[in-house]
Structures are given as C-alpha cells and as structure tokens.
Amino acid sequence: MSTPYPFTAIVGQDDLRLGLLLNAVSPAVGGVLVRGEKGTAKSTAVRALAALMPEVPVVPGCRFSCDPVSPDPACPDGPHAEAAGVSRPARTVELPVGASEDRLVGALDIERALSEGVKAFEPGLLADAHRGILYVDEVNLLHDHLVDLLLDAAAMGASYVEREGVSVRHAARFLLVGTMNPEEGELRPQLLDRFGLTVEVSASRDTDERVEVVRRRLAYDDDPEGFAARWAEEEGALRERIAAARVLLPRVVLSDGVLRQIAATCAAFEVDGMRADIVMARTATALAAWAGREEVTADDVRQAALLALPHRRRRNPFDAPGLDEDKLDQTLDEAGPPENSDGDDQPDPDGGGDDDGGGGGGGGVPPQADGEDRTPPQGSEGDSPSPAPEGAPDTPGRPAGGEQQPVAAAEPFRTKMLSVPGLGEGAAGRRSRARTEHGRTTGARRPEGALTKLHLAATVQAAAPHQRARGRAGRGLVVRRDDLRQATREGREGNLVLFVVDASGSMAARQRMSAVKGAVLSLLLDAYQRRDKVGLVTFRGKEAEVALPPTSSVDAAAARLESLPTGGRTPLAAGLLKAHDVLRVERLRDPSRRPLLVVVTDGRATGGPEPVALAGRAGRLHRSEGTASVVVDCESGYVRLGLAGELARELGGTAVTLDELRADSIAGLVKDVTAAGRAA
C-alpha cells in the first residue's frame, strides 16, 4: 500500500483542513463538500485524513464492519456471537463517477433468491465505507439517482437494497466528503443542502507559499516513506488532538444564547428548512471541542456560519455561493452575545508545529457581498464605458463598426418544455423520453451481462412451461439462468442544448436584446433543471464563434451571455455552420446524448453573396442529419417578415415567439420539437 501524503504537510488550505477535521471530530456534522479549481490538494487532503482517524474495532470476518461491542442486529452476516474484536485502520473508500447502483449499494443474486429462497448479497461501497470515509471525487458529475442513494444512506446511517420484494438492510455510517470543480457544473440546491459543510479552495497567489508547495511535493515524490517519517511527530500530535476532541465533545455545552444566535443567523440569511440550524449547532459544538473548550462561544457560531451557510443560500445556478460577513457580524451582535463568551480561543486546524501558515482557524468561504456581480469571464468587456444611445455615431469610447456594449438580461421566466422526439438512450435527465435504468416498466428482454432489474412476471412466464421437464416436485419454482428477464424501462434523458444566438445589429435595440437575453437565460435555467449539457454559439459582424463549448456548467453559459456585445451584420449561415461543427464533434465524444438546437434570431441574414440562400443550405444540413431544432423568433413590430419561420422550415423544426416561450402563455406551443417542416 502506498504511503499517503501527510495531512500536516499540506501547505495553506486552512478552510479545507478545518472542515475535514471537524467532521473527524464529529461525523454528525454531515460531511463536507469541497469546491475549487483543479490542482488544489482536494484529493490529497481527503486521502491523508484517513491516516489520522482512530482505528476501528470490528467483528472478525464481518463484511459490514460491525462493532463487536454493539453489532448490528440486522447485519446480513449476523447474528454475531460474542467474540473478541480485531482492530483495523479506518478506510477511505472512493466512489468513481461511472459507478453503477449495484456497485454503490450492493447486489442481490436474484436467481438464488427465486430458486432457493436465499438472500445472497454482495456488499457494495457503502458497506466498505461503514465507520470510515466515503470519498466522491467530481460529485457534481455523479448521476442524480446515485447521489440520492448516497445522501439518503448518509442521513439514515443505513443502506437498503430491494429487488422484487427481496430486501436487505445494513448499517452505513461514514464521513462523506465530496469534491467538485464548479466549472464542470453545479449540484442542484436540494443536494447541496445535504452536505453539512462546504469550503472553497483555490491555489495560493503568494510566491513563497507556491514554492513551498512544490518543494514538499517533489520531496514526497522522491521518497514517500522518508517524507512521511519527517512529519510523523506532527501527525501523531494531530491524531491525539482528534481523539481528545472526540472525548470532550459530549461535555460541550450549547447554551440558549448560542442557540438564539444560530437561529437568528439562519433566519437572517433566509436559508430553507431547519437543516442549516442543526448543522450549525453541531459544527459550533465541534469547534469548541477542537479548541479544547466545554462551552460554545460567539466565534464558534460565526465560524460555523461561514462553513455551513454559503451553499444553502443558492436559489438558482446563477447565484455565486458566499456570505456577507458584515451582515453576519451585525446579526450575531443583534442576537446578543452568549453567556460567558470570551472569544479568545481560535481553532487551529493542524495542531501547531507546522510552518506552512496553517495555524489559523480558517475563514470559511472568501467574503462576498450580497448581490455582488459575478466576475466577467476572460475577454469580457465588463470595464468598458456605458453604451451610447441608439443610433449615435461612433465615438472613441464606443467600439468601431457600430458595435454596442452588453446589456443586462431581463428577468428570467419559466419556459415551456422543449424536447427531442423519439426514444433516446442518453444520460439520465428530465427532458426527452429515453430507455433508462429508472422509470416506468415498458417490457422485458433477455439480460445482457449481469441482471440488474428483474421483470418478475416475464421470468415466471418463461420458466413455467419447463417445470415438468425439470422435475419440479414441490411448490417452489425451478428457475434457470435462461429464464431470467431484464425489465426495460422508460424515463427521461438529458440532452445537449446548443444555443445559437444572433448578436448582430438587427438585434441591437437595447430593450429587445434585453428581452432576448432574458429568454436565453430562462432556457438555460430550464436546461439546468433538466440536467442538460449546454453550449453557446454567437454570430455577428463577419463570423460566428463558440462562446462556450458544451459543458454542464450553465452558470458559465449565463456569464458568457451577460458579457455578449451586439452589432454589425448578420452572418446567419456562419452561425449555423459553426453549430454543425460543434455538434459533429460532440457526436463523436458522446454519441448517446442527443442534441437540441435552439436558434435565437429574427431570421435576417446579411453580408456576403446570397446570405439568405446560404443560411437555407446550412439549415438543410442540420435537417439532413436529423437534428431536432427550434427557432425562437425575436422579430418585433407591427410589420413582420416571417423570416424566422422560413428558417425553422429549412431546419425541419418549430418556430416560437418570445411570448409563446413562456409557460404561462395562452398561445399554443407544441411541446416536442416536431419536424414541422418535413412536409414542406
């Protein structure tokens, strides 16, 4: 087994280390979600934590790590006779992104269950992680149903496996740690709330600190065992401190004054539900125990808020997590200081003796004022001067060529659902019909590989004609492998929604472009809720560009949309051809994910020879490949040319106006993107 990198040798990352250590002291805190860019020691810190955890006494031979003092009465390997336990190190179990449901929760041998009545159960990763650490890297890329199972087990302390009336339960209590890069997409708010704490990590910008990181890493890579030996004393001290804090934890007093501060803070920041209050109380108690105190102070409450509240304040994927620290301080002051609060003790995440600057208590999430604007992406024009009035001549403060500066998007609204026709087989989502592992049962087939979803009626029907030949004598059914039938199910899939947005001069009227951006923002929010990937292509002037390659991060798409300037000619054909290139590449990368092309334009095409004919040919190219499409008609005014409708017919899709796009619109809208132009 390879030697893990020492926890105390990690440079900086105070918040990350503190969040992990608090969960080591009190697993009831509910785990920690680590958000940050790649290469910031997220995985290193999680794997290093296991070496600091106390050893676990287990029943010999039990696959579910039962405690010999109080074994689980429902353990599938039980009942356990009284026997001396054996100790083993705490485990760190990693859940890969591509894991199946059976790999996570375990699998039942359905064939033996039907023919022999035996509950033959093969434990999954939840059983392996019992009384240890379950680490999920890239948790935001994990399928939603797996995240639901994972968090349900973490909340209940048990895992349930049920297959066609055969049920197995076993204990599953573990320290849950998830890491994610927000650029690859967000977790939905309901799942964010299930993590006790969250910390933001980023690479240090301090030169000396970066040098120390490289120096230590190179030393570890050259001699892992020797490097670990040099940090053995610090590791031992930190291990003892965790054990002492665990012993002290039950004696920590949580006064009524502290509870009032916690409740007032959660109410002031308008977090949903009561889970935040409970997590803050447990975190503040763990902070006091970690500092060696038997009473929670105001500083503990403040630190707990910085760790437990930021991710619970997100209302939609476009909100940046964060907490207004001035408002937090004001709320704590107004709620009144708790009794006997001195605030002198500050938590020390690494136990001292380390020269990496990690002796502070951690600051939770970097401060960010409420309503603070998101930082524009690289290359945006957020610092440009205000746009001149419509029709004004170019000035030194305005971009050349009639280009106008970005305008703010109108308020988003709930949109009607657009879906791809037919039956797909893509990743689980909420948009288009698809064959999935979860959903309503529509039929049965012979299993290909391991049986995962038994179709009981079809299995019995296949086995029934052969009972006499198989010598059936009793009431039991004689079932063989060839009789088993896999249930086929229909659910919903996520799609690739590629937006092609007209940013030309014909769209540049400020009020009109604001409404268009609001509509695209609404569609992005809908894509987030339906678990789609999104991409953004824009066209204006002489060319089209991929403003955002296909990604699961809809907030990145929203940021690019926000900084989108307008002006110039309308190279509609270039935009459609650029979209075709993007879809061609994505079909090679992920052939099972079906695309939905959303073209946002008034249908005009200018610039170059025969721009309208070129746009028509580009549209027919998409149609020939069967790409589902919808054109959002942005034409306004009393006189309408109907060019967007013509484009929709060339694409073989549907045209809808901005008003028809609203879910509460009385105008009719076909929900599926039908091939309305096929008959044309």
Side-chain angles (χ1 to χ4, degrees):
M1 183 176 178
S2 61
T3 303
Y5 191 92
F7 191 88
T8 50
I10 296 173
V11 180
Q13 304 298 10
D14 297 347
D15 301 339
L16 170 59
R17 291 184 293 157
L18 179 61
L20 292 173
L21 289 170
L22 291 178
N23 275 274
V25 171
S26 175
V29 166
V32 59
L33 176 65
V34 185
R35 298 163 44 92
E37 58 198 30
K38 53 187 176 292
T40 49
K42 300 189 297 292
S43 301
T44 299
V46 175
R47 296 187 179 104
L49 181 66
L52 301 175
M53 303 285 283
E55 287 196 338
V56 179
V58 298
V59 173
C62 178
R63 297 175 297 167
F64 301 87
S65 301
C66 279
D67 188 340
V69 177
S70 57
D72 181 7
C75 176
D77 284 355
H80 297 296
E82 292 186 7
V86 296
S87 294
R88 62 161 176 78
R91 293 172 179 162
T92 296
V93 176
E94 297 191 30
L95 174 63
V97 171
S100 65
E101 180 179 340
D102 285 347
R103 185 71 185 99
L104 176 64
V105 301
L108 282 168
D109 189 333
I110 299 297
E111 184 175 0
R112 292 188 63 192
L114 288 176
S115 59
E116 303 175 29
V118 176
K119 293 183 180 180
F121 180 66
E122 185 65 30
L125 295 176
L126 292 180
D128 293 341
H130 180 45
R131 305 175 70 197
I133 300 172
L134 182 60
Y135 172 45
V136 189
D137 194 14
E138 307 294 354
V139 65
N140 53 325
L141 303 182
L142 200 65
H143 285 175
D144 281 351
H145 75 280
L146 292 182
V147 178
D148 286 331
L149 291 170
L150 179 66
L151 295 176
D152 284 343
M156 296 185 296
S159 174
Y160 294 85
V161 184
E162 297 192 11
R163 296 287 188 275
E164 303 298 336
V166 181
S167 177
V168 173
R169 172 209 168 275
H170 65 83
R173 292 184 294 275
F174 45 82
L175 193 166
L176 176 63
V177 182
T179 59
M180 59 175 284
N181 185 345
E183 293 178 356
E184 297 172 340
E186 285 286 356
L187 278 171
R188 49 193 169 107
Q190 296 91 332
L191 299 181
L192 282 172
D193 183 56
R194 300 291 287 275
F195 281 94
L197 310 179
T198 185
V199 294
E200 295 276 345
V201 295
S202 60
S204 172
R205 299 297 182 259
D206 180 81
T207 302
D208 292 337
E209 195 167 286
R210 295 176 74 98
V211 168
E212 186 62 21
V213 170
V214 175
R215 182 181 291 119
R216 294 187 187 183
R217 187 69 208 192
L218 293 177
Y220 170 77
D221 291 341
D222 289 340
D223 183 10
E225 293 183 0
F227 183 83
R230 292 196 293 274
W231 290 89
E233 183 177 349
E234 287 83 356
E235 291 283 287
L238 189 55
R239 190 178 297 109
E240 292 176 2
R241 186 175 176 186
I242 292 173
R246 283 189 168 193
V247 172
L248 179 62
L249 185 67
R251 303 200 301 270
V252 175
V253 176
L254 195 67
S255 67
D256 288 342
V258 168
L259 286 174
R260 182 170 293 276
Q261 282 189 315
I262 290 172
T265 301
C266 293
F269 285 99
E270 300 179 348
V271 295
D272 295 331
M274 295 298 297
R275 186 175 283 119
D277 304 63
I278 296 171
V279 171
M280 272 190 66
R282 290 172 174 167
T283 304
T285 303
L287 281 162
W290 179 246
R293 287 182 274 101
E294 294 189 4
E295 187 166 353
V296 177
T297 69
D299 287 339
D300 296 331
V301 176
R302 186 181 192 279
Q303 183 66 66
L306 291 171
L307 292 169
L309 295 188
H311 61 301
R312 292 185 164 88
R313 298 191 60 246
R314 289 173 61 91
R315 292 295 184 268
N316 63 62
F318 312 135
D319 293 337
L323 213 61
D324 183 348
E325 295 197 35
D326 291 336
K327 180 178 179 180
L328 174 60
D329 292 334
Q330 181 182 354
T331 302
L332 292 175
D333 289 342
E334 290 175 353
E339 299 176 2
N340 301 324
S341 172
D342 51 29
D344 292 332
D345 295 316
Q346 295 293 331
D348 179 4
D350 60 7
D354 187 353
D355 62 0
D356 63 5
V365 176
Q368 178 175 348
D370 280 351
E372 181 180 65
D373 290 341
R374 293 181 295 275
T375 303
Q378 186 175 1
S380 69
E381 300 179 30
D383 296 328
S384 300
S386 301
E390 247 181 277
D394 289 347
T395 66
R398 267 184 101 199
E403 181 181 294
Q404 297 188 16
Q405 293 304 304
V407 298
E411 190 70 21
F413 52 84
R414 188 167 64 91
T415 67
K416 291 188 176 179
M417 189 179 77
L418 307 173
S419 62
V420 178
L423 196 63
E425 296 182 347
R430 295 185 177 181
R431 183 171 297 278
S432 304
R433 294 173 55 230
R435 298 183 186 90
T436 60
E437 287 293 319
H438 299 271
R440 64 186 182 90
T441 301
T442 58
R445 59 176 174 82
R446 291 182 181 272
E448 299 173 1
L451 178 72
T452 56
K453 301 292 182 182
L454 177 74
H455 194 296
L456 184 58
T459 299
V460 172
Q461 186 176 11
H466 309 290
Q467 296 306 295
R468 181 175 297 177
R470 293 173 184 174
R472 175 186 172 187
R475 300 178 60 184
L477 191 67
V478 181
V479 179
R480 294 180 179 173
R481 176 68 185 174
D482 290 343
D483 301 327
L484 299 179
R485 294 294 182 268
Q486 175 86 22
T488 57
R489 301 190 175 190
E490 181 179 312
R492 294 277 172 177
E493 67 177 0
N495 298 110
L496 166 59
V497 183
L498 182 61
F499 295 93
V500 182
V501 180
D502 185 348
S504 64
S506 65
M507 303 280 288
R510 295 186 62 80
Q511 186 174 2
R512 182 180 179 189
M513 196 60 196
S514 177
V516 169
K517 285 188 175 183
V520 178
L521 200 64
S522 303
L523 290 167
L524 283 172
L525 183 58
D526 181 70
Y528 166 78
Q529 294 168 342
R530 302 190 188 281
R531 315 291 179 263
D532 295 317
K533 289 181 69 174
V534 297
L536 179 62
V537 172
T538 63
F539 58 94
R540 62 187 177 89
K542 297 181 180 180
E543 59 185 14
E545 66 173 348
V546 181
L548 183 71
T551 175
S552 297
S553 179
V554 295
D555 50 344
R560 300 296 170 90
L561 180 72
E562 184 176 316
S563 62
L564 179 66
T566 57
R569 294 183 179 274
T570 311
L572 178 57
L576 295 174
L577 292 175
K578 182 68 71 174
H580 179 267
D581 291 341
V582 171
L583 295 180
R584 177 178 55 81
V585 173
E586 285 303 307
R587 284 191 181 98
L588 296 175
R589 290 177 177 170
D590 190 359
S592 64
R593 188 180 289 269
R594 297 186 295 164
L596 172 61
L597 184 67
V598 179
V599 185
V600 185
T601 181
D602 57 9
R604 289 182 172 86
T606 59
E610 299 184 343
V612 177
L614 284 175
R617 286 200 291 272
R620 290 191 293 275
L621 180 61
H622 284 281
R623 180 180 176 180
S624 67
E625 296 184 353
T627 303
S629 60
V630 60
V631 178
V632 180
D633 185 358
C634 302
E635 193 173 25
S636 59
Y638 293 105
V639 179
R640 300 190 179 220
L641 303 178
L643 298 176
E646 291 291 338
L647 176 62
R649 282 188 284 275
E650 297 286 9
L651 287 165
T654 302
V656 298
T657 65
L658 291 175
D659 289 336
E660 291 171 339
L661 195 61
R662 293 179 178 270
D664 55 357
S665 170
I666 62 173
L669 174 64
V670 180
K671 289 187 177 181
D672 282 349
V673 183
T674 57
R678 290 177 184 171

